Amino acid sequence: LKQKKMQEEKKEIRLIGLDLDGTTLTSDKKLTPHTKKVLEACLAQGIQILPATGRVRSGIPDYLTGIEGIRYVLLSNGASVMDLSTGETLYQNCISWERVVEIYDILETYDTFYDVYALGTGWCEARFYDNVGNYGIEKHIENLVRTTRNRIDDLRVWMKENKAPVEKINMFFAREEDRQRAFKDLREIKDLAVTCSRGN
């Protein structure tokens, strides 16, 4: 009887975790009818589909989250996990706003574009937003930046006013030598994970 109860408690969960950009979505950020059909077939077999992305919640396209059965999403490279059916954040591991302001001091020494993910969306200073093409950002990423970031005057002031924990800081560099130096400087900060997902 005890063994039977243990077997019932060990319910098998089948799950497919999928990156979005460059994997599930096409280069122009679309979900093909074929891919959608495959995802729906997996869901119909009881397999959970978990979009796992570097994007923030507001950057997840409705045509993906609107597929019936997709319930959870891993956001901002793992900084947050959300239940789409309730909007509840199940897990979050953020950078404090105070630490982010300190990081800005480092970033300001480089010729870099930077923005933050906080409060479920992206925030970008006008000086970067209006000149996003100056940092070697590919056109489809440039369009993504423009459609998923809120354009504001001053990130430092915004952080101090809102005191919002930050899921992720994005940076783009016009020059490789700046990227290499910033990578080294930022990796010396305790409890900060630094990684690259694109060439710049």
Side-chain angles (χ1 to χ4, degrees), residues 115-127:
D115 61 24
V116 299
Y117 287 172
L119 304 177
T121 192
W123 304 90
C124 184
E125 284 188 16
R127 64 183 168 137

Side-chain angles (χ1 to χ4, degrees), residues 123-137:
W123 304 90
C124 184
E125 284 188 16
R127 64 183 168 137
F128 300 132
Y129 189 93
D130 296 343
N131 298 291
V132 68
N134 294 348
Y135 298 92
I137 301 173

Side-chain angles (χ1 to χ4, degrees), residues 118-198:
L119 304 177
T121 192
W123 304 90
C124 184
E125 284 188 16
R127 64 183 168 137
F128 300 132
Y129 189 93
D130 296 343
N131 298 291
V132 68
N134 294 348
Y135 298 92
I137 301 173
E138 298 160 337
K139 266 291 183 219
H140 63 279
I141 299 295
E142 184 178 328
N143 292 335
L144 185 65
V145 167
R146 291 192 189 280
T147 57
T148 60
R149 271 54 160 194
N150 293 298
R151 182 182 179 275
I152 59 176
D153 291 330
D154 190 316
L155 270 173
R156 190 182 299 266
V157 169
W158 185 89
M159 290 303 307
K160 289 178 179 177
E161 287 176 352
N162 291 277
K163 297 179 172 38
V166 169
E167 293 179 22
K168 178 177 168 180
I169 303 170
N170 294 294
M171 291 160 273
F172 292 95
F173 294 87
R175 294 192 307 263
E176 175 62 16
E177 58 269 25
D178 281 343
R179 187 180 79 88
Q180 291 292 341
R181 286 192 305 124
F183 197 88
K184 181 179 177 294
D185 289 346
L186 293 169
R187 290 190 99 176
E188 291 175 5
I189 298 175
K190 186 182 176 190
D191 300 329
L192 189 68
V194 185
T195 187
C196 298
S197 60
R198 311 198 68 78

